[in-house]
Amino acid sequence: MPADAYRITNGSTFRLRDHDPGETGQFKSKKEGRERLEAGRERLRELQSVLYAHDRHALLLIFQAMDAAGKDSAIKHVLSGLNPQGCQVFAFKAPSGEELDHDFLWRTNRCLPERGRIGVFNRSYYEEVLIARVHPHILRGQKLPEDRVSDDLWQERFESINDLERHLARNGTVVRKFFLNVSKEEQRRRFLARLDEPEKHWKFTLADVEERKSWDRYLEAYEDMIQHTSTEAAPWYVVPADHKWFTRLVVADAIADTLEDMDPRYPTIDERKREELAKARAALEAEAK
């Protein structure tokens, strides 16, 4: 499975420079990738149905990336065709005043998926060790007690995140995390493409270009994040993102592999239920007489 090659379970040796954003694995063309993606989506449709019926586990999918890496389109293309009743998607932007009056995990904890469902976080609590780290003024606006803002803050947040994800795993919520690894040059091309398409102008601001000045600091923050929060229970997938078709098939395979490992089963029925179903059949067949 191509997804296995991009899974990071022990981040201590992780170096972002060792991961090529333009890689496409053994696939040589978009056509090959499209065929594999469709096969992956079919697996997802079947497995989601069983997960929903089993109603014992939940799956939380977290997507993080630089702007224009393809988070929205990956979520759209990979999860298209799933039963909407069993899938919840939340996009997290700048926190509200109410959210800033709570700890940094509060706003996302309210959106965790129920048993039997797949939850998707488009950005997440990981923003609090990324953008808040790259731009200190954001951290200053979070109303933290002065004695809690120290050189240990980021390590403490990593520990809080790991504690949360261990807690979720112990209680039946499986966590899988995707960093879509786009190159700076590919981001530039995608920004220019947005400027060429009027229907995409709403997605673009001058601030997007300004953020490129912080590219290296973001990559340092992402590397540190992955080094400290990749675990066997909640691994990161560092997915090449310069070719969207490849990104999507890796994500689809990773999700399907995870669902298969969870091994959900359709509920079994007891003798009493069988008798009830037999009576229902008899009543329905009698109506035709």
Side-chain angles (χ1 to χ4, degrees), residues 126-140 142 153-154 157 218:
Y126 280 101
E127 291 294 286
E128 302 306 325
V129 294
L130 293 168
I131 189 170
R133 188 171 186 174
V134 172
H135 296 295
H137 71 275
I138 292 176
L139 187 65
R140 289 194 293 271
Q142 293 187 348
L153 176 67
W154 308 116
R157 287 193 170 185
Y218 270 112

Side-chain angles (χ1 to χ4, degrees), residues 1-11 13-14 19 174-179 226 230-240 250 253-259 261-262:
M1 294 294 181
D4 292 342
Y6 308 103
R7 175 172 167 154
I8 311 295
T9 57
N10 180 0
T13 60
F14 175 77
H19 295 259
V174 175
V175 182
R176 294 294 182 265
K177 304 171 296 195
F178 300 92
F179 168 55
I226 293 168
S230 288
T231 65
E232 190 66 40
W236 279 100
Y237 289 82
V238 178
V239 185
V250 172
D253 272 4
I255 300 171
D257 290 348
T258 299
L259 286 169
D261 290 343
M262 292 165 68

Side-chain angles (χ1 to χ4, degrees), residues 146-282:
E146 291 182 8
D147 62 345
R148 302 312 307 155
V149 182
S150 69
D151 293 340
D152 297 327
L153 176 67
W154 308 116
Q155 182 59 42
E156 290 172 351
R157 287 193 170 185
F158 292 145
E159 291 174 4
S160 294
I161 288 169
N162 288 336
D163 288 343
L164 169 66
E165 292 175 352
R166 278 193 294 267
H167 169 76
L168 292 174
R170 290 180 186 130
N171 288 275
T173 296
V174 175
V175 182
R176 294 294 182 265
K177 304 171 296 195
F178 300 92
F179 168 55
L180 306 190
N181 183 24
V182 71
S183 67
K184 191 174 184 179
E185 176 57 23
E186 179 60 22
Q187 185 197 63
R188 186 184 72 87
R189 285 194 289 264
R190 291 180 186 178
F191 279 170
L192 287 171
R194 286 181 182 179
L195 291 172
D196 289 337
E197 299 179 48
E199 64 273 19
K200 292 186 177 181
H201 285 178
W202 67 273
K203 298 180 72 173
F204 195 84
T205 68
L206 185 58
D208 295 327
V209 176
E210 289 296 310
E211 281 290 82
R212 284 172 59 82
K213 297 176 181 178
S214 302
W215 184 272
D216 290 341
R217 281 184 289 161
Y218 270 112
L219 292 191
E220 289 173 3
Y222 272 111
E223 183 172 271
D224 201 33
M225 174 194 77
I226 293 168
Q227 287 173 348
H228 286 89
T229 61
S230 288
T231 65
E232 190 66 40
W236 279 100
Y237 289 82
V238 178
V239 185
D242 279 5
H243 301 281
K244 289 186 178 182
W245 59 268
F246 186 68
T247 304
R248 295 163 188 167
L249 74 86
V250 172
V251 170
D253 272 4
I255 300 171
D257 290 348
T258 299
L259 286 169
E260 287 182 345
D261 290 343
M262 292 165 68
D263 194 26
R265 309 285 181 88
Y266 282 113
T268 57
I269 60 174
D270 55 22
E271 188 59 34
R272 180 178 177 182
K273 183 67 175 181
R274 289 191 187 91
E275 292 174 358
E276 180 183 329
L277 295 176
K279 289 179 181 178
R281 176 182 291 277

